Amino acid sequence: MHPVGMIIVTLALLLLVEVQIESAESHQKSPNILLIVADDLGYGDVGCFGNDTVHTPNIDKLAEEGVKFTHNIAAASVCTPSRAALLTGRHPIRYGMMPGNFIRVNVFSSSMNGLPPDEFTLGEMAKEQGYSTALIGKWHLGINCLTYEDNCHHPLKQGFDYYYGLPLTNLRDFATGTEKHYVIRGLSEYTELILVSIAIGGVFFALYLLKMEWIGPVVFLFLALLFSMPSMVFFFLFRNFHLINGIVMRNFDVVEQPVDLEGFTARLVNEGKNFLLQRHRDGRPFLLIMSWLQVHTAMHAGPPFKGRSKHGSYGDEIEEMDWSVGEMLKLLDEMEFTDNTFVYFTSDNGGHVEEIGFHGNREGGWNGIFRGGKGQGAMDGGIRVPTIARYPGVVKPGSGDRLPDKQYFLPGFERDVKTYPSYSVPLILVCCVILGEDVYKVHFASPRWHPGTEGCGFICGCHGSIITWHDPPLLFNIQKDPSERHLLDVNEPKHQEIIQEIYHRVNKFKSSVEDHPSEFCIWKLLPMPWLQACCNGTFPYCHCRDPVYTSLH
Ligand SMILES: *[C@@H]1O[C@H](CO)[C@@H](O)[C@H](O)[C@H]1NC(C)=O
Ligand SMILES: *[C@@H]1O[C@H](CO)[C@@H](O)[C@H](O)[C@H]1NC(C)=O
C-alpha cells in the first residue's frame, strides 16, 4: 500500500470521530486545508470543551460551525513523536520515535535526530496533488542529519514550500528578564559538583603547565580535560540555551537569534497572512499549517492579553492563542476561502500538569475530567486532545453520527478507511476495544507519580524501569469511567476476553512494526557543535534580528 497514510483522513478518523459527511463528491475538487496546532493545550483549557472561565470565543465559534471531537487521541503524550504522527499518519514507533530513555523529544537545535527524511508527510502528499504548502511556527522535528545545512529534517525537505518559525520549540529559557536562564538555575543543585570537577581539572592543568614529571605531562593534560571539559561544556550549553536553541528560520535561513518572543504570535499570524494573500493571487489550493508556540512555556502573551485572563499568565497564553486562531479564520473570510477550506484545530498533547512558574504559579494546562497529562503515557489527560473540524457544506455542524467504514473524506486525499475499532497504540501502553456502548482501555504501564500527587517532578519518564509495568494490565471502561479511576476486575471472564482481544491486536500491531533505529538514543539527542546554527558566524555572539520585523524590536 502506498504510504499515503491517513493524513487528513486519519487526522479526522484515527480515533472515535463522530462526523457526518453530507456529500464530499459534490464539493469542489481541491479543498484548501488549514491545520492549526496548539502546543500542550489541555482538553479542559477551552471554552467549548467545558471551561466556563477561560475566554476562547474564536475556537468556540469554530466548534459551533464545525464538529468537536470529544475523543481524539494523539499518538504520543509529548510533542516530537505526536507531531511526527500528525504529519505522517503513522505511529511514531514505526520510524524510531519510541521512548528509549528519559528524553523523547528534540532538545537541541543542533542534534542529528528528527523526522526521518523518507517518511511521507502530509506536506508531500498535498504537493503531489498540486497544492502550495507552508508550515508556520513550531516544527520540533529536527533540522540537520550529518552536516550543517544538509537540512535533511527541515520542513522544506519534508513537503513544505515555505517555512517560518522556530525549528525547535518554545523553551522557558527564551523568557526575558528575571525568568531567563531557567535551565541553568534548575541545575543549580549540581553547581558544587561542576565547580569541584573544574577545580580538579584546573589542578591537573597547573601540574601540566609546571611540567611536573612524575608522570608524563600528556597524562596531566588528559586528566585536566577529563575533569573539566564535560562540566565546562555543560555549563556553556545551558548558560547559552536561549542562544543555541532560540533560532528562528525563514526557509533555510536563520533570520533571528536568539528568538524574541515579544510579538511573536503576531508575527506568525502575519506570515500566515502573507501566504494566504499569495494564494488569493495565484488561486492555487493550499495546505497551511499554523503551529503556535502557545501554550507551552515560556509564557509570552503580550498586550492586550497580558494580565487579562482569570487564570494568570497561562490563561493569558490561551486567550492570545485563541485570538491568533480568530485572526486566521478572519483572513479566510476576508479572502473568501472559508467555504472551500477544511479547518482542523488540535493540540499536540494534553496539558502539562507539573509545569510550575518561577513564582510557584501554575503554568501548565488543565485536562478537565481526564487523569494525568503531558508525558504520562497512557493516561487520557496527556493524549485526549481538544479537536475541531470545520468544512462548510461537507461536515455538518454539530453532527454526531459515527463514520461508516469506508469514507471519502476530502477529494484527492481519499483512502479506504477501515475503522479499526481500536486506538493507535500510544507507546504500546494503551489500546481500546469498543463493545456496544462501552469503550475499554488497558494500561500496560503507568507513570510513577510522586506519592500523594498525580504528577512527577517536572515530567514523568516513560520507559523501562522508571514506569510501573502491569501484568495483567489495568483495565478501564472509559465510556462509563472517563477519569480512569475504577479498575475493572481482570479475572471476570468478560474482562479476560477483552484483554485477550487487546493482546491479540497489540501483537498484530507489533508484528507490523519493522525495526527502526531510535531517534532518541543519547548520541542523537546530544548537541553537535558542527550542526550549530550561528546567524552571523561569530559564535557565541550569534545575534541577529530579522530585517522584515525590525520595527517590532
Ligand atoms: C479553565 O482553564 C484554566 C486554565 O487551565 C484552569 O485553571 C481552570 O481550572 C479551568 N476551569 C474549568 C472549569 O475547567
Ligand atoms: C555578530 O554579532 C556580534 C554581537 O552582536 C558582533 O559583536 C559581531 O561583530 C557580529 N559579527 C558579524 C560578522 O557581523
Side-chain angles (χ1 to χ4, degrees):
M1 196 195 352
H2 194 254
V4 170
M6 13 281 173
I7 314 302
I8 284 301
V9 182
T10 314
L11 293 181
L13 312 183
L14 233 185
L15 316 157
L16 311 179
V17 175
E18 304 186 357
V19 183
Q20 189 179 316
I21 306 295
E22 281 173 350
S23 163
E25 257 96 314
S26 66
H27 221 71
Q28 194 189 317
K29 271 279 167 261
S30 300
N32 302 311
I33 301 167
L34 171 62
L35 176 55
I36 306 175
V37 190
D39 196 358
D40 288 6
L41 183 73
Y43 192 95
D45 282 337
V46 185
C48 61
F49 283 88
N51 195 317
D52 50 7
T53 48
V54 79
H55 197 61
T56 54
N58 295 297
I59 301 173
D60 299 352
K61 181 160 171 278
L62 185 68
E64 253 167 51
E65 296 165 351
V67 286
K68 235 168 38 178
F69 297 174
T70 55
H71 200 159
N72 191 26
I73 301 292
S77 60
V78 289
C79 333
T80 300
S82 115
R83 283 162 185 268
L86 193 66
L87 283 186
T88 59
R90 302 215 310 146
H91 196 284
I93 277 174
R94 296 192 187 277
Y95 36 90
M97 290 194 178
M98 63 288 256
N101 62 65
F102 194 77
I103 297 170
R104 50 207 147 111
V105 296
N106 285 26
V107 240
F108 289 103
S109 69
S110 59
S111 60
M112 302 158 94
N113 57 353
L115 180 63
D118 55 352
E119 284 298 315
F120 190 72
T121 70
L122 178 55
E124 284 161 322
M125 189 180 191
K127 261 179 99 147
E128 274 188 2
Q129 305 285 332
Y131 278 57
S132 174
T133 56
L135 194 139
I136 289 164
K138 164 171 168 169
W139 173 243
H140 215 179
L141 294 171
I143 307 177
N144 297 305
C145 283
L146 293 173
T147 56
Y148 185 61
E149 289 188 336
D150 69 20
N151 285 306
C152 72
H153 302 299
H154 189 283
L156 262 55
K157 296 272 182 84
Q158 306 264 21
F160 295 94
D161 298 326
Y162 183 74
Y163 176 67
Y164 174 88
L166 264 184
L168 196 69
T169 178
N170 189 6
L171 291 165
R172 275 180 173 278
D173 272 52
F174 302 166
T176 46
T178 53
E179 309 209 340
K180 225 168 143 181
H181 298 314
Y182 179 82
V183 179
I184 198 80
R185 282 202 228 169
L187 295 171
S188 56
E189 50 188 298
Y190 302 106
T191 309
E192 284 158 28
L193 192 73
I194 292 173
L195 291 179
V196 167
S197 70
I198 293 177
I200 296 174
V203 171
F204 283 122
F205 193 62
L207 292 174
Y208 163 72
L209 289 181
L210 294 170
K211 303 227 179 329
M212 303 300 279
E213 303 264 344
W214 316 324
I215 47 178
V218 179
V219 176
F220 282 124
L221 188 61
F222 173 77
L223 288 172
L225 291 177
L226 184 72
F227 276 91
S228 56
M229 278 306 271
S231 296
M232 274 157 38
V233 169
F234 199 65
F235 187 79
F236 177 81
L237 279 181
F238 289 111
R239 175 81 203 158
N240 291 298
F241 214 58
H242 65 302
L243 188 65
I244 59 177
N245 283 333
I247 290 164
V248 179
M249 293 179 101
R250 173 172 291 106
N251 296 328
F252 291 130
D253 302 325
V254 178
V255 290
E256 182 177 320
Q257 193 177 5
V259 58
D260 179 3
L261 289 179
E262 202 184 319
F264 201 73
T265 309
R267 277 185 269 160
L268 295 180
V269 169
N270 188 56
E271 294 287 327
K273 178 180 174 181
N274 289 341
F275 177 78
L276 291 178
L277 279 172
Q278 285 159 14
R279 299 300 74 79
H280 187 65
R281 255 177 258 133
D282 66 16
R284 284 181 64 193
F286 63 80
L287 162 71
L288 172 59
I289 302 184
M290 296 299 299
S291 172
W292 310 124
L293 270 51
Q294 282 157 328
V295 292
H296 194 292
T297 49
M299 305 278 112
H300 63 281
F305 301 95
K306 205 179 174 77
R308 198 181 83 167
S309 79
K310 293 199 177 96
H311 299 287
S313 55
Y314 184 78
D316 298 347
E317 293 284 299
I318 300 179
E319 298 191 3
E320 189 178 87
M321 191 273 296
D322 175 78
W323 165 82
S324 59
V325 171
E327 289 302 291
M328 294 314 300
L329 299 177
K330 225 191 285 172
L331 288 165
L332 291 185
D333 285 346
E334 280 167 21
M335 297 184 212
E336 296 180 351
F337 281 135
T338 303
D339 283 348
N340 191 36
T341 302
F342 174 79
V343 180
Y344 188 87
F345 171 87
T346 194
S347 175
D348 58 354
N349 49 252
H352 189 180
V353 292
E354 297 99 336
E355 186 73 287
I356 302 292
F358 264 89
H359 314 291
N361 49 316
R362 286 215 51 223
E363 285 190 345
W366 167 249
N367 299 310
I369 58 169
F370 304 113
R371 219 172 172 194
K374 174 178 180 178
Q376 298 194 11
M379 313 294 301
D380 256 25
I383 50 179
R384 199 187 281 222
V385 284
T387 303
I388 296 164
R390 183 187 80 179
Y391 190 11
V394 181
V395 172
K396 193 174 158 200
S399 60
D401 289 346
R402 266 195 193 156
L403 274 169
D405 272 352
K406 189 176 171 192
Q407 189 59 257
Y408 289 149
F409 198 57
L410 292 182
F413 292 85
E414 59 263 14
R415 171 178 175 260
D416 280 0
V417 180
K418 299 263 178 300
T419 23
Y420 189 49
S422 132
Y423 296 145
S424 57
V425 194
L427 315 176
I428 315 274
L429 298 180
V430 51
C431 187
C432 285
V433 164
I434 305 166
L435 290 175
E437 284 298 296
D438 292 323
V439 180
Y440 292 95
K441 166 177 175 185
V442 303
H443 295 209
F444 294 108
S446 36
R448 291 220 183 120
W449 287 331
H450 285 188
T453 72
E454 294 198 347
C456 306
F458 173 65
I459 193 161
C460 295
C462 197
H463 74 283
S465 60
I466 55 179
I467 41 180
T468 304
W469 291 88
H470 306 291
D471 188 15
L474 310 180
L475 179 68
F476 298 95
N477 178 346
I478 52 172
Q479 191 63 29
K480 297 209 172 89
D481 170 31
S483 305
E484 301 170 75
R485 291 188 185 271
H486 305 290
L487 260 183
L488 298 177
D489 179 2
V490 289
N491 294 318
E492 242 179 66
K494 181 179 154 201
H495 296 156
Q496 274 186 351
E497 242 172 69
I498 291 167
I499 288 181
Q500 282 321 309
E501 171 64 17
I502 288 178
Y503 268 125
H504 172 72
R505 292 182 190 186
V506 167
N507 289 336
K508 203 167 139 197
F509 173 81
K510 280 186 177 166
S511 64
S512 76
V513 176
E514 284 165 27
D515 265 355
H516 198 289
S518 171
E519 289 298 320
F520 299 134
C521 55
I522 292 292
W523 62 274
K524 274 200 163 186
L525 284 165
L526 286 175
M528 298 295 159
W530 67 91
L531 298 184
Q532 179 61 51
C534 177
C535 59
N536 80 352
T538 40
F539 200 81
Y541 308 104
C542 321
H543 286 264
C544 293
R545 288 293 165 241
D546 185 357
V548 175
Y549 293 112
T550 36
S551 62
L552 288 174
H553 296 294

